Amino acid sequence: MTEFNIEPCKSISGELRVPGDKSISHRLAMLCGLARGESVIRNYLMSEDCLNTLHAVEQLGAGVTVSQDDIRIVGVGGSYVEPADVLDMGNSGTGMRLMAGLLAGQSFDSCMTGDKSLCSRPMNRIRDPLKLMGADINLREGGCAPMDIKGKSLSGIEYKLPVASAQVKSCVLLAGMNAEGVTSVIEPRPTRDHTEKLMSAMGMDVKIDGARISIDGGDVELVGGDWDVPGDFSSAAFWIADAACMNGAELTIKGVGLNPRRTALLDVLKRMGAEISVECRVMNDDCWEDIGDVVVRGKKLVGTEVGGDEIPNLIDELPLVAVVGALAEGETVIRDAAELRVKESDRIATVAAGLKAFGVSLEENPDGMIVKGGAVISGGMEINSHGDHRIAMAMSILGLFADSPVTVCDVACIDTSYPGFMDDMGKVVF
Ligand code: S3P
């Protein structure tokens, strides 16, 4: 399907389970593929991005079996094998950037490419630290993929991240597993920590000292295991935000990943007046992930400010914060979010264009925007996703609140992260 027709909705209610977490699925495929022994993964995200990573891991020598119930990966036991072909990472920055860390220290050469969007995103942010470790990586003009990697012996480094990016942090740590000595990264702001958690859970000694995360490359043996991937908070976020803004809504999202480095949207929505609670929470006490049910009751919300340390912990939810801001009374200010400009699209520009098409007033800034909420949301037009899955979904959510139907165009991209988005809408939106 290339477009969605979104009708204004009257209510949102019921219960939903969203598909598995994208960030965790990528990491599980890569690390289980490298580990010793067989791993069983349940609720792996069967989206285009994560299937591309799974295919790449297979090309690198891991045994992959996909069945109705789970995915089984027989790891290569320490070193990948040389792939016969280019690795195509599709639309996924996480896939390409994390995989680059793993490939840089192998004993063979490799090449990665991706779609038009991925081949226009900055890869020098990972090439630079990898180069300091001794890697030999060649990019195209502008520091973009396709990426040629000549396998080299790497040495550990201490790297202060110039941007708060879990992808760059993870890339350096993954390269550090194959490097001589200790590799440390220092984060300017805390970002999602799935890589560190998974490395620990697979038997590695990961040292965390404030903002510094260190591993010793001489001390690496990953052991495969049995994994249940939590529901993706970033997918649940669409329904949480939708329900939070709709008076009278009552919605439960079950089995959602609640890693605190991912859930800042809940704090933002609560600040805006939303009634949200978490039930049946199982806390992480063995280096694996928190999970629970999120219960939302709809209210009229008020604007808020979002910036600083909160940003990395809701980076993928910021298009939704702007949508919620449009529906809330007063102004919603998003700042310190210039990273949005180098996502699958320039998300400051594409969100601003989308909101304006709905008749929402806003001021676009280099690092965010000020959304003037509370006005009528006008429908009756076509909205362009710019090929960006999160824009397609965020605009579909805003369309539910419009005064007449809207058509969201170019929606096939949603399959990169949330296959079944429209089916799920049909289950809870009336
Ligand atoms: C991700 C990190 C974030 C996020 C992306 C997934 C990850 O990117 O936007 O969707 O899985 O590590 P950055 O690390 O570039 O901020």
Side-chain angles (χ1 to χ4, degrees):
M1 199 188 305
T2 56
E3 59 186 40
F4 288 157
N5 292 314
I6 306 285
E7 301 278 337
C9 83
K10 290 189 187 61
S11 68
I12 169 162
S13 62
E15 264 185 29
L16 200 60
R17 265 180 201 278
V18 292
D21 187 277
K22 179 151 81 78
S23 292
I24 295 174
S25 295
H26 281 301
R27 285 157 172 83
L28 276 170
M30 291 180 199
L31 291 177
C32 294
L34 200 54
R36 174 166 53 79
E38 186 182 64
S39 295
V40 180
I41 308 172
R42 281 173 294 273
N43 204 31
Y44 185 89
L45 175 61
M46 301 299 274
S47 73
E48 283 171 8
D49 277 5
C50 296
L51 289 172
N52 282 327
T53 294
L54 205 56
H55 182 55
V57 164
E58 219 174 358
Q59 286 176 275
L60 290 162
V64 176
T65 317
V66 178
S67 74
Q68 193 74 18
D69 300 328
D70 56 40
I71 285 182
R72 285 164 194 262
I73 300 183
V74 179
V76 292
S79 306
Y80 285 136
V81 300
E82 182 168 357
D85 209 341
V86 171
L87 307 180
D88 186 349
M89 308 314 290
N91 187 247
S92 176
T94 306
M96 183 173 281
R97 293 190 177 118
L98 270 58
M99 192 57 101
L102 290 169
L103 293 174
Q106 301 290 331
S107 58
F108 53 80
D109 302 345
S110 51
C111 178
M112 277 191 288
T113 191
D115 68 9
K116 200 167 150 227
S117 154
L118 184 55
C119 289
S120 66
R121 295 178 64 189
M123 291 298 147
N124 35 14
R125 55 177 55 196
I126 50 127
R127 192 248 331 254
D128 295 348
L130 291 176
K131 228 172 149 181
L132 293 172
M133 299 177 83
D136 183 348
I137 294 180
N138 195 35
L139 296 170
R140 302 304 189 265
E141 231 183 274
C144 296
M147 185 185 300
D148 295 306
I149 302 177
K150 292 205 182 324
K152 292 277 176 203
S153 304
L154 306 182
S155 315
I157 51 165
E158 178 171 294
Y159 190 65
K160 215 170 165 182
L161 295 172
V163 283
S165 163
Q167 293 180 356
V168 180
K169 168 178 70 175
S170 300
C171 171
V172 175
L173 289 174
L174 293 170
M177 293 198 307
N178 244 323
E180 188 71 32
V182 173
T183 295
S184 301
V185 287
I186 300 161
E187 298 199 90
R189 299 185 195 282
T191 66
R192 67 190 69 192
D193 55 1
H194 306 302
T195 303
E196 302 90 294
K197 281 204 153 86
L198 192 52
M199 282 175 163
S200 295
M202 293 179 85
M204 276 180 64
D205 185 15
V206 180
K207 293 199 167 58
I208 302 189
D209 176 14
R212 177 197 306 267
I213 304 120
S214 307
I215 59 162
D216 187 342
D219 180 30
V220 176
E221 206 209 19
L222 298 170
V223 186
D226 212 15
W227 312 98
D228 284 298
V229 181
D232 195 326
F233 182 84
S234 297
S235 297
F238 294 101
W239 315 118
I240 294 171
D242 184 348
C245 302
M246 187 165 288
N247 245 326
E250 266 205 58
L251 183 73
T252 302
I253 313 285
K254 298 195 79 93
V256 188
L258 293 171
N259 181 320
R261 303 269 181 102
R262 293 287 299 282
T263 53
L265 178 73
L266 297 182
D267 304 325
V268 170
L269 290 172
K270 283 182 193 164
R271 258 195 336 260
M272 297 177 88
E275 202 185 315
I276 298 178
S277 57
V278 169
E279 294 177 358
C280 307
R281 185 171 189 138
V282 181
M283 298 286 281
N284 146 59
D285 55 3
D286 57 356
C287 304
W288 189 230
E289 298 281 347
D290 295 13
I291 191 164
D293 302 341
V294 178
V295 181
V296 191
R297 286 189 184 83
K299 286 266 171 66
K300 185 73 197 161
L301 304 183
V302 292
T304 188
E305 288 199 22
V306 184
D309 278 357
E310 222 164 30
I311 292 296
N313 298 335
L314 49 47
I315 187 76
D316 292 338
E317 286 68 70
L318 285 170
L320 265 177
V321 171
V323 162
V324 173
L327 296 166
E329 282 305 324
E331 284 188 355
T332 293
V333 181
I334 300 172
R335 56 183 157 73
D336 305 323
E339 273 296 295
L340 284 181
R341 295 211 181 264
V342 290
K343 295 295 178 190
E344 286 82 330
S345 67
D346 172 345
R347 285 187 180 156
I348 295 181
T350 51
V351 167
L355 260 52
K356 281 182 185 161
F358 278 102
V360 176
S361 303
L362 61 87
E363 191 183 305
E364 183 180 333
N365 294 319
D367 69 339
M369 65 184 73
I370 302 173
V371 180
K372 315 210 164 109
V376 172
I377 307 295
S378 321
M381 71 303 184
E382 289 192 344
I383 292 281
N384 188 345
S385 74
H386 302 272
D388 182 333
H389 55 129
R390 296 209 195 278
I391 301 301
M393 291 186 277
M395 293 306 141
S396 300
I397 296 295
L398 188 54
L400 295 171
F401 293 83
D403 60 1
S404 55
V406 297
T407 303
V408 183
C409 303
D410 196 3
V411 293
C413 51
I414 290 176
D415 285 349
T416 61
S417 70
Y418 193 167
F421 171 78
M422 231 15 209
D423 293 341
D424 282 353
M425 185 181 282
K427 289 178 196 158
V428 292
V429 170
F430 305 99

